[in-house]
Each structure stands twice: as structure tokens, then as C-alpha cells.
Amino acid sequence: MEAMKVDSESRLLQRKQCAYESLDETFGIQKEIYKGQQYSHIYFTRLRSMRTLLYMLLPNWKPLLPVCTVLGLEEGKECIIVGTLYKHMKLKPSILDEYSKERSPVPLVQPHNFIHPDDYLILEDESGRVKIRGDAVLPSAYVTGVVAALHGKETGDGSFLVEDVLEAGLPHQVERPIISGEDKYVVFVSGLSVGGSSSNPLQYQLFVDHITGHLGDEKEQSIAAEIVQVVIAGNSVEMHHGLLNGQSLGMKELNRMSESIKELDILLSQIAAGIPVDIMPGPDDPANFALPQQPLHRCLFRGSSAYNTFRSCTNPHSFTLDGIRFLGTSGQNIDDLEKYSDAKDKLEFMERTLRWRHLAPTAPNTLGCYPFTDRDPFFIETCPHVYFIGNQEKYETRVTKGTEGQIVRHICIPRFSETGVAVVLNLRNLECHTLSFKIEFDTELEEEMKNRKNAHD
Amino acid sequence: MAEIETIGILDEIQALVSDRLQVVSYKWLSRNFLVSSNVAKKLLQEFVEKHGAGLEVVYSLSGWLKTNPSTYHIRLVSQSKLAEAKEEFDNNCSLQVYSVQSCLPKDPAVLWNSEFVQAEELFKQPPDVDNCFRDNRFCGILNSFVKRTAGGGTNASTSTPQAKSTGVLGQSRNTSAKHPALAPPMQKKFQQSSPSISLHSPDVVKDVKNDSHSTGTHEQNVKPNESKGKVPQLPVNKKKGPNDKNSSGTTGALANMWGQASAKSKAENFAANSKDSLPNSTASADAQICALEDREYDDSDDDITIKRAPNGEATRKRRVVFDYSDEEDDESKEPITLASPDLPKMEPVLGSKQSSKSSDLEKDKLRLDEKKEEGPSVKKRKEAETKTNQTLKEESSTLSKATNTNTSSLEGNVNHVSAIGTNVKEKRRKVLKTRIDERGREVTEVVWEGDEADAKPDCQEVKNIDMTSANASNRLPVKKSPAVGMNAPANQAGKAGNKKAGIKDPKQGNILSFFKKV
């Protein structure tokens, strides 16, 4: 009785709502066919679309210079060439190395990444390719697959000496709607690794309890009530791949395999019962490997897929909330850039992809990618307001401003299982803060140690 | 009274913690004693104050950190570290009891274990049960836009647009004609079975009411349903059509009710129906996926489907509509093949005789004869039943409705569609013709073209057969459980028939299309 009374006394908070629109169509693969098509189509369409873009920018950049193809280069004549960069890398692992009889002089595995001072860039268009020299273009900052315009001249040894470089730059941004007064939060989390050895179930349970409004006093719950969307950016589950040995599994193993998925399903049901949740597949999830990763099948989530708030999304994932545009991945594109190029932090990689107007320039070279024949889905046509990547070591965020006044919030979402940190974005002003969870109490072990100490004393 | 109850709970906590050495967390408490989380926390607090001595208490501390103001930190701490931990927080942090146990576990996950076991049990309950785990009713934040479909995820897609509610998608929903067909039967069911639901239904209703427009439509729906019973079927259906069209908002909630009220199998079946219809409105990939899943469900539980014959018809129609509206389907094959099943639905109701005649392909002649004879009788029976049985009326009404909606939605788009509509009213001849045309066009197999009478789709025949046979042989069951009978999906029958005939039937077309899309 008293419980009832108390219930009626404490008025329930209302969760705020938000207009959601999915923009994932470009990342969907409607009729996946592997009929032996090669990846050249992607590069072709990429070069074509980027080149028209760059040609439009050239008059503003260097109006007086002629534009040449690689084949049309003449020695000593200054011109502009537009093409796809290819980065020749000494250390780039090749499957052939493993088959070569003599050990290659370079070690197969490098501690950090595959960058070597001897790396150089090659520019390629339909007519040919030319080696690039010059300090204006640092090989370490570029990767294979980027399309750029170069200003320079051919030198005697057949290479192209670059004086200046033009990238496509940040795409046009739709103006951000002004949301006044109201705070609305979007929570990003990645790397839950449910069922994994490293993850602490209590930690993500706390996370769920907080955002769904179980934990804390009324004040805390009033903050939680302003969360309008949860985005899970990949690696939500850790499968016991060790069980797979190429043979059919027994009932027991099958159950063990599905255990972690079920646990995740329970977790997601709890979230979905309170908040709209988007789940993206990540590199360790039971989804396809090649980008764009297709939505995790609803069959995996029997419980949570019953909610209208549950959405299974593609891996590069794009959507709008109240007119604010989001774009994000589970981290593969940036992780791959890190292997093949250099920057001071992850955010810089992210900024570069926006400037290159390409979400994953290293696909299909070093990043798995579906062989599209008619389009390049990773071409960024519209500048997002929020650009996030999942599964990073630590939380980082920064706001970047573009030349046309674009404002982009970049977010690196840390792995939750390792850090216990989720990222919260305020839709009103694109400010970010973190939600961190920690469990800390004296375990018996510690007490024992103390006791022993005391005993010794 | 209240005092006694809380004291009872406190005693129970005492017993659990000290005798059974169990971890009692606030969430476990709230689910176990069906109180809200906030109350559970207060109870635990009270318990700690009264009986806390000698027990270990874990507190949850949350607030902004002093050192890093852009971090909202949530921490579980033991009693001994509480003061120390509090130092790190901003002044007004919240402090609450998280759990009570006899000793602190080495692995903090133990705190979570009992709670998880409990959650798992709730999670495992049949999908049409709405428990506190599923609707999150014990949290401090209400989200009325969350809808859950009982059928195991089938309807999710329907309600999604509502959640988006902000009106972006609303229009498309309203135009979809499928919902109406589904809604009335569900409601009736709900009404009939309402006593059993009584516990949960209020919640649902609340949800519905939150959508301002939906409430109105809800009421509208209810009224027509009630009136239906007295009015002749066809006119009622027509009237309903427009009303129902507006009712897009309610369907989700209705589906919920339906799911709660009816047995699992029914719920699934219905969910499947609704799913099939949904894609039209949303046309989203999700919906399509859902539809596929539903079909899978249907396939999987054979026992359920076998029992019901006629209801499946309704589903069929809807399915047809859906495929039609799907603009993504560039292949003409699919719509046509899909369209064929529609006709069969109508025929059983209007005149099962002729259809049965044509069905010499699969069934014995003896059977056919029986059917012929029984066909008319079936009709009569139906009519009789409609008078006596509300549910039967529902069925028929839903059927006719479905047809109406079908025609209305599709009119003007394609000529054969309209032909179907006319067929419905004028009976078979035209139907046959159109059928043939469609077949000829879309289905490349020549087998069927040979005899015009036979040209009717196999599945149709099968359905008819099933209907008649069911009616003839098991009258009692039909009457007793009209709903079941009606629901008895022609799907099943259709499948079986198709398999027998070895033809590419609509089903297969659907699945294929799914794969193509995905």
C-alpha cells in the first residue's frame, strides 16, 4: 500500500522526444552479387565524382594554370593534375611475403604501423601514373585512394614536383537548426563486448540503469529523461570464436555461442523499453566483414526487436535528430588510416576524411569493402554536424570549423568494456560530456591483505 | 496496512540477506516485490537504517566530478570507502543504496548476478506477456512512445513511425489501407478477452492516449465494431473503411492488446498479418525484414496454422497489397504472383462451389464433389454463424474490408487490380479472366494456361478445399472457435497446395524478393 502511495506521489518524468530520420539507404546493399566484379569501378566512380568537384574549385584556387592529364604532362610546364593518390609503402604487408622463399629484408610486423620514411606517393588517372615529389605533399599524411588536385611541374626524371595541393575540403553543410532552451542528449557507446572476458557486466548494467532512469535520485533521473537517443557504435558482443573449429557444433557449444548474444538482447531490451536505440555492427560483431556492414539481423535480437525503439543499422551510419545530421562508423575506417598514415591524434584522421570528402579512402585497398560497380557510398556529399567513430582507446572530442562556416563535432567513442565511459552529446549546443562508471569497493582480498598485515605487525 | 507491508518486505530482505546470503539490489527488489525502483531504493535505505548492522552495503554515488567537470560519474562504493569517494564528487551528488549483502564479493559481477537471473527469467516469458522487464514500468522516466509488439518483434516496424511521430512519416501511414483490415478483429478480440487482460490493458490504453490523434481513432474503431454485429456485412465494411484508414496510430497499441489477450499462437499469426500489411505504409527495409521473419514464424509453427483456414485469406490480401505498393519491386513478376492469392480469399466467401470445381489438380474427384455440394452449404452456415457469432462476422467483415481497402488503395494504378475489385463484387468470371491474364503475363510457366477453369491459382483451390472440408467435417470446431477457424491461415493451405503443384507460388516469390532487396 505504502508503495503504491509513494508511487503516485512521485510523479513520473516524461522522456523527451526527438524527430529521427534514418539516412542509411546509401549504405545498404540491396542486391549483393559477387559476379567477379573488380574494385576498379569504385576507384573509377570515386575519381569521376571527385574530379568534377575539384574542377569546380580550381577556378577559385589557381585560375591561370592549365589542367593536364598525366599523359599530357610536359617537362617543365606548370600545370594542375587531378587524380587518385596511391601510396607506395615499403612495409605494407603483402600476402606474397609469406610465400617468398627468402625472408624479406623488412620485418613483417611493425610495432606501430606500416609507415616508413621511404614511402612515396603516385598520382594516377585514366591516362597514366606519375611519381610525386616535393615537400608540399607529405606521404605520411596521405593514403591510397584519396583524390586530390596537385599543382606542379614534371621534372627531368619523370616525376612530378608538387608545389601546392588542393583537397576537396569540407562538404556543404545544412545549417543547424537552433534548438533553444531545451537540452536533449544523445548517448554514444561502443565496445560493450557483452559476454567478453574483459567486460564487467555490472558496469554496463549500471549504464543501462542510468539511462533508463532507474539509478539515482530524481535529479539524476531528470537528466536521464533528457536522453533522446542511444547509439551503440559497434563491438557490442564478444563471440566465443574459439568454439568454431570448422565442424558442426553440439547443442552445448551452440548454446554457449549464443549466450552472449542473448545477454546483449536482454540488455538491449532494457534500453529499448525506455529509449530509442540504434545498434551498428562493428568489426567483432556477427555481421559481414566488408564495409558497409549491413544491419545485424533482427533474428539475433528476439526480445529487443519487438520494440519500435530498436533499430538495427548499417555500419557507416547516418541519421538526423531534430535536423542535426550525424555520421559515424564503428571505427574501422579510422583504424585503418592509422595503420597507413600518421597524425597527432584520432581526431585529425577524422578531420582528414571529411576534408577528403571520403569516409574510407583506404577501402578497398586495405579495408574490406563490397565491390560496388555504380557508386561509391563512402563519398561524403553533405557535411554532418556530428561525426563519431567507435571503439577507440580513449575519449576525444573537438569542434572543427570549415571554410564555409561548417561546424562539425568530432567524437571518438572509447571502448566501454575497457574504460567504462560513454559519451553524451547535447543536441542544443553540440557540447559533449562523458558518462563514466566505476565499481570500487574493498574486496575480501584486500581485507585479507590488511588482516595479514595486522597479524604480522 | 502499508506499514505492515513494508515491514513484511523488510523482514523478507533480512531473511534473504542473512540466511540465504543473497545479494539484494534495489532493482531485484523492485522486480521481486513489484514496486518502482525509487521505492525500492527507499525500502533498502530504510532497511539499512533499521537492520543494517553487520551487513555490507553498497552505495551508488553519482554526480559531476570535481576534478573533471565534464564527466558525470557513477560509482558503486562500499560503506568503508564512501566518505573518501564522496570527496571526489561535486557537492550535490546523489547517494543511494544500491544493494545489501552479507559480505562483499570478490568479483563485483556477483552483485549483478541475481539481478540478471531475474531479468533473464522475465525475458524468457512468452513474448505476449507484458512484465515489468518488458515495459520498464518501474523506472522513473515514462516514455509513452515506446511500443512493443507481442509477436516477437513482428509489429515493431509499424509503430516505429509513430515513435518518430513528429509527423514526418505520419502522412504515409494514414494513407495505408492495410491497418484497417487488421484493427477491427484485434479490437474485438481484445474486448472479448478483456477480463483476462485487465491488468495490463490500462497501460496500453494510456500509451494510446498519449498520441492525441490516435485516441480519437481508437474510439471510432470501437464503435463501428460494436455496431457491426447488427448491420449487414458489406455496408459495414464500407463504412469502416474510411474510419479505419485514419486509425493508423492505434494499430500498434491494438496489436499489443491483441497480443496480450490472445494465446501466443494467435498473436503470432496476427502479428504476421499485420506485418505483411505494414511494409506498405513504411516501405522501410526493416518492415520487409520483419515480414520475412514473420513468414518464417508462420512456417515454423505448423500446428497453429493448420487449424485455421479462412483467416489466412485476410493475410493474403494484405500481402498482396504490400507487394503492390512496393515501388522498389521493378520486376512485374512479384506483384502479379502475389496478386493471385487475393482472389482466392474472396471466392470462398462468395461462392466456393466454382472454385472447388476447378480444383481438379490436386484433390480427388470425390473430394471435389463433396466440396461442390458443400460449398453452398458453407455459405449458409456462415451466414447463420454470423448472426449468432460475433467473431464470424468479424471474419467476414475483415475479409470484405480487406478487399475493399485493397481495391481502394490500388485503384487507378493498375488495371488488373481494379479488375480484381470488380471481381469481388461480380463474382468469378472476370476473376478468372484477369487471373489468366496475369498469369500469362507474369508467370512464365505455361502449364496453367491450358485450362481456364484450372487457371485459377492452385492455392486458391486448396484454400477452398480446406475451408469446405473443415466446415463439412469439423463443424463443431469451426463453430466453437470461430476465431481460430477464420484465422486458420490460407497461408498454410496455400503453401501445401503450391508444393504439391510444384509451381512457383506467391510465397516463393515473396521470399525471393526479400533476398533481392536485402
Side-chain angles (χ1 to χ4, degrees):
Chain A
M1 263 312 277
E2 194 196 37
M4 300 273 293
K5 223 177 16 180
V6 176
D7 256 350
S8 56
E9 276 169 10
S10 65
R11 70 193 165 78
L12 282 182
L13 297 156
Q14 282 286 342
R15 184 170 294 284
K16 286 197 179 156
Q17 300 296 324
C18 212
Y20 178 96
E21 189 189 352
S22 171
L23 304 170
D24 275 347
E25 309 96 86
T26 49
F27 303 119
I29 302 174
Q30 296 301 326
K31 294 175 181 171
E32 191 172 345
I33 301 169
Y34 288 93
K35 261 197 240 159
Q37 73 265 47
Q38 299 289 309
Y39 285 109
S40 59
H41 300 284
I42 295 186
Y43 285 120
F44 178 73
T45 51
R46 185 184 301 176
L47 179 60
R48 210 181 41 192
S49 52
M50 296 287 290
R51 188 160 48 194
T52 47
L53 209 97
L54 286 166
Y55 278 172
M56 274 160 41
L57 298 174
L58 286 182
N60 295 330
W61 186 51
K62 309 250 161 135
L64 300 177
L65 288 170
V67 180
C68 286
T69 60
V70 170
L71 197 62
L73 284 177
E74 291 169 35
E75 192 176 326
K77 180 185 154 197
E78 275 200 23
C79 65
I80 293 173
I81 52 175
V82 178
T84 311
L85 291 171
Y86 172 81
K87 187 170 174 180
H88 185 86
M89 302 184 75
K90 208 174 167 184
L91 297 183
K92 182 179 165 185
S94 163
I95 189 72
L96 296 178
D97 291 345
E98 294 176 25
Y99 290 94
S100 62
K101 284 188 180 161
E102 298 122 36
R103 271 290 162 98
S104 58
V106 275
L108 287 178
V109 180
Q110 281 287 307
H112 174 52
N113 57 17
F114 306 118
I115 295 171
H116 191 275
D118 291 351
D119 293 345
Y120 59 89
L121 292 170
I122 292 170
L123 188 101
E124 212 174 88
D125 65 7
E126 292 98 330
S127 64
R129 59 192 336 217
V130 60
K131 188 177 164 182
I132 286 168
R133 288 196 302 123
D135 295 335
V137 181
L138 279 179
S140 65
Y142 287 87
V143 291
T144 300
V146 176
V147 178
L150 302 178
H151 162 219
K153 60 186 172 193
E154 193 188 352
T155 56
D157 60 351
S159 61
F160 189 79
L161 184 66
V162 179
E163 288 173 15
D164 203 355
V165 60
L166 175 70
E167 293 160 347
L170 288 187
H172 175 71
Q173 189 175 40
V174 181
E175 199 175 326
R176 180 158 59 94
I178 294 160
I179 306 171
S180 55
E182 266 194 320
D183 286 336
K184 283 184 181 177
Y185 296 107
V186 180
V187 174
F188 295 95
V189 68
S190 76
L192 287 173
S193 295
V194 171
S197 48
S198 65
S199 67
N200 181 352
L202 186 56
Q203 207 167 41
Y204 54 68
Q205 187 63 52
L206 279 178
F207 168 69
V208 170
D209 289 351
H210 171 72
I211 60 175
T212 54
H214 283 285
L215 215 55
D217 56 9
E218 195 148 309
K219 194 165 62 58
E220 180 173 344
Q221 287 175 1
S222 70
I223 299 175
E226 287 169 341
I227 299 172
V228 292
Q229 178 77 43
V230 178
V231 178
I232 301 176
N235 286 4
S236 330
V237 73
E238 197 167 303
M239 305 284 282
H240 299 282
H241 288 290
L243 291 173
L244 294 173
N245 52 4
Q247 300 186 348
S248 58
L249 299 175
M251 213 47 206
K252 233 193 223 167
E253 282 83 13
L254 282 177
N255 279 339
R256 269 197 64 200
M257 285 288 288
S258 62
E259 234 168 45
S260 40
I261 289 276
K262 211 178 91 193
E263 202 180 315
L264 176 66
D265 191 15
I266 292 176
L267 195 81
L268 288 174
S269 302
Q270 294 175 62
I271 301 180
I275 316 174
V277 55
D278 281 7
I279 181 167
M280 300 159 55
D284 294 343
D285 282 328
N288 57 335
F289 165 77
L291 292 178
Q293 285 185 300
Q294 297 304 293
L296 292 166
H297 201 279
R298 298 176 79 92
C299 278
L300 295 172
F301 308 109
R302 296 212 147 219
S304 37
S305 63
Y307 293 93
N308 62 352
T309 42
F310 174 85
R311 290 186 210 96
S312 188
C313 306
T314 55
N315 175 0
H317 178 34
S318 181
F319 58 98
T320 63
L321 276 178
D322 276 352
I324 293 172
R325 198 182 176 99
F326 290 75
L327 174 68
T329 73
S330 296
Q332 292 103 319
N333 56 339
I334 302 300
D335 290 345
D336 200 59
L337 282 186
E338 193 190 23
K339 285 181 204 160
Y340 295 98
S341 62
D342 222 359
K344 70 174 191 296
D345 57 14
K346 288 289 179 77
L347 295 170
E348 195 177 342
F349 287 121
M350 296 175 72
E351 285 161 12
R352 273 182 203 160
T353 57
L354 275 190
R355 273 204 328 266
W356 294 332
R357 291 224 188 165
H358 203 277
L359 205 49
T362 50
N365 185 35
T366 49
L367 193 59
C369 171
Y370 175 74
F372 289 93
T373 53
D374 51 343
R375 65 200 174 100
D376 186 354
F378 306 115
F379 177 67
I380 304 174
E381 283 175 56
T382 313
C383 190
H385 300 106
V386 180
Y387 180 27
F388 61 90
I389 55 163
N391 302 300
Q392 303 304 309
E393 285 82 43
K394 59 176 195 285
Y395 161 70
E396 287 174 286
T397 185
R398 191 188 300 156
V399 172
T400 306
K401 289 191 179 141
T403 49
E404 293 172 35
Q406 303 100 321
I407 294 177
V408 186
R409 163 68 67 177
H410 299 261
I411 303 173
C412 288
I413 312 164
R415 283 183 277 266
F416 187 81
S417 61
E418 290 168 16
T419 58
V421 170
V423 182
V424 183
L425 172 89
N426 190 342
L427 281 182
R428 183 169 58 87
N429 50 11
L430 299 190
E431 293 284 313
C432 271
H433 69 261
T434 55
L435 264 184
S436 71
F437 299 87
K438 199 175 169 191
I439 292 134
E440 171 189 80
F441 41 74
D442 301 319
T443 59
E444 283 180 343
L445 259 186
E446 283 176 64
E447 274 174 23
E448 260 176 43
M449 298 288 280
K450 273 184 202 164
N451 290 343
R452 272 187 212 161
K453 252 190 191 173
N454 292 340
H456 278 294
D457 291 343
Chain B
M1 178 78 186
E3 277 301 307
I4 295 168
E5 201 161 304
T6 38
I7 288 172
I9 292 179
L10 291 183
D11 287 344
E12 212 156 325
I13 298 173
Q14 171 86 37
L16 284 168
V17 174
S18 46
D19 299 345
R20 285 201 234 159
L21 303 180
Q22 196 181 328
V23 177
V24 175
S25 68
Y26 77 93
K27 250 188 127 190
W28 185 89
L29 196 69
S30 94
R31 285 179 186 150
N32 204 43
F33 293 102
L34 299 179
V35 296
S36 80
S37 302
N38 288 338
V39 174
K41 277 178 274 192
K42 276 174 201 155
L43 278 175
L44 272 189
Q45 179 72 44
E46 204 174 318
F47 174 76
V48 169
E49 281 162 10
K50 284 185 185 166
H51 315 275
L55 294 176
E56 290 288 348
V57 186
V58 172
Y59 291 93
S60 71
L61 258 177
S62 47
W64 300 94
L65 283 181
K66 264 182 198 163
T67 51
N68 187 356
S70 70
T71 298
Y72 193 86
H73 191 59
I74 292 165
R75 185 185 291 189
L76 292 189
V77 287
S78 63
Q79 215 159 3
S80 54
K81 289 205 174 174
L82 185 58
E84 183 186 332
K86 233 176 169 177
E87 287 295 304
E88 291 179 40
F89 282 86
D90 183 289
N91 283 336
N92 38 10
C93 63
S94 101
L95 169 69
Q96 303 202 293
V97 181
Y98 185 83
S99 68
V100 178
Q101 54 271 307
S102 55
C103 64
L104 286 173
K106 274 182 201 169
D107 182 1
V110 173
L111 286 190
W112 165 85
N113 239 0
S114 59
E115 195 179 310
F116 180 71
V117 169
Q118 188 190 33
E120 203 176 14
E121 256 161 36
L122 291 170
F123 181 77
K124 271 186 196 157
Q125 288 179 0
D128 49 346
V129 176
D130 245 355
N131 52 39
C132 61
F133 172 81
R134 295 226 168 91
D135 58 14
N136 199 29
R137 73 178 77 134
F138 293 139
C139 70
I141 302 168
L142 196 66
N143 189 352
S144 51
F145 292 91
V146 175
K147 301 266 188 302
R148 194 182 150 274
T149 42
T154 51
N155 268 348
S157 54
T158 16
S159 36
T160 322
Q162 295 175 4
K164 298 171 189 172
S165 73
T166 33
V168 184
L169 298 178
Q171 295 170 348
S172 62
R173 250 179 287 142
N174 287 338
T175 54
S176 70
K178 298 147 197 175
H179 296 283
L182 289 178
M186 289 195 273
Q187 275 190 343
K188 277 198 178 174
K189 290 255 159 153
F190 168 60
Q191 290 168 356
Q192 289 171 355
S193 52
S194 57
S196 62
I197 325 166
S198 57
L199 273 182
H200 303 287
S201 57
D203 290 344
V204 181
V205 175
K206 265 187 215 160
D207 290 349
V208 176
K209 279 187 181 169
N210 286 330
D211 291 349
S212 61
H213 63 283
S214 65
T215 48
T217 53
H218 178 84
E219 289 168 4
Q220 280 180 359
N221 282 339
V222 176
K223 283 172 191 170
N225 281 339
E226 289 171 355
S227 63
K228 246 191 218 167
K230 291 155 193 171
V231 193
Q233 301 173 1
L234 279 182
V236 173
N237 295 335
K238 280 173 187 172
K239 283 177 190 170
K240 268 200 170 179
N243 279 346
D244 290 341
K245 278 178 188 172
N246 296 335
S247 70
S248 62
T250 45
T251 48
L254 288 175
N256 283 341
M257 295 174 183
W258 166 262
Q260 291 165 349
S262 59
K264 188 184 179 182
S265 59
K266 282 182 199 170
E268 277 184 3
N269 193 17
F270 245 84
N273 292 347
S274 58
K275 263 194 186 175
D276 286 341
S277 63
L278 293 180
N280 218 355
S281 55
T282 55
S284 67
D286 278 356
Q288 290 168 4
I289 292 170
C290 292
L292 210 219
E293 282 173 9
D294 289 343
R295 273 165 220 162
E296 284 170 1
Y297 282 132
D298 279 351
D299 294 337
S300 62
D301 26 35
D302 293 338
D303 34 351
I304 300 165
T305 42
I306 289 169
K307 287 172 193 167
R308 318 157 200 153
N311 236 356
E313 297 163 5
T315 42
R316 267 295 153 86
K317 277 190 177 175
R318 273 165 221 142
R319 187 173 294 153
V320 175
V321 176
F322 143 58
D323 280 339
Y324 240 104
S325 62
D326 224 352
E327 295 173 2
E328 296 172 4
D329 285 349
D330 32 356
E331 301 142 18
S332 55
K333 260 193 189 179
E334 294 171 4
I336 295 170
T337 44
L338 292 170
S340 58
D342 287 1
L343 292 174
K345 301 171 192 174
M346 299 311 304
E347 293 197 347
V349 180
L350 296 176
S352 53
K353 239 202 221 168
Q354 295 180 358
S355 60
S356 61
K357 280 182 193 172
S358 60
S359 68
D360 41 351
L361 285 179
E362 301 131 11
K363 307 283 171 171
D364 311 340
K365 285 185 179 178
L366 289 177
R367 269 198 175 185
L368 286 178
D369 291 344
E370 285 178 6
K371 291 161 202 161
K372 285 178 187 174
E373 293 173 2
E374 290 168 3
S377 62
V378 172
K379 278 190 201 168
K380 288 173 187 172
R381 267 177 231 147
K382 271 197 177 172
E383 292 173 357
E385 283 172 2
T386 47
K387 285 168 192 168
T388 53
N389 243 337
Q390 271 202 355
T391 52
L392 264 189
K393 291 170 196 169
E394 293 172 14
E395 300 171 353
S396 52
S397 63
T398 51
L399 285 181
S400 52
K401 237 191 255 164
T403 55
N404 287 340
T405 54
N406 240 352
T407 53
S408 63
S409 63
L410 296 178
E411 266 177 6
N413 291 339
V414 197
N415 37 0
H416 56 26
V417 177
S418 60
I420 293 173
T422 55
N423 289 337
V424 173
K425 285 164 191 170
E426 299 182 10
K427 282 151 202 183
R428 257 161 268 129
R429 266 194 198 175
K430 284 186 180 177
V431 179
L432 284 179
K433 273 192 179 180
T434 52
R435 278 285 164 94
I436 296 163
D437 292 345
E438 295 169 10
R439 282 279 147 143
R441 254 212 267 144
E442 299 148 5
V443 184
T444 47
E445 292 169 33
V446 198
V447 188
W448 296 100
E449 290 187 2
D451 27 8
E452 292 184 356
D454 297 346
K456 284 184 183 179
D458 36 330
C459 53
Q460 208 186 349
E461 298 163 0
V462 180
K463 279 179 200 167
N464 292 337
I465 292 165
D466 281 358
M467 276 200 50
T468 51
S469 63
N471 285 339
S473 57
N474 332 323
R475 277 191 199 174
L476 286 181
V478 174
K479 278 184 184 173
K480 278 179 185 172
S481 58
V484 177
M486 295 312 289
N487 287 341
N491 284 346
Q492 195 63 20
K495 283 178 208 163
N498 294 333
K499 279 172 196 165
K500 284 172 197 167
I503 299 172
K504 263 200 177 180
D505 57 327
K507 262 274 149 98
Q508 290 182 1
N510 281 342
I511 290 170
L512 277 180
S513 70
F514 167 79
F515 281 120
K516 274 171 199 160
K517 278 165 206 157
V518 176

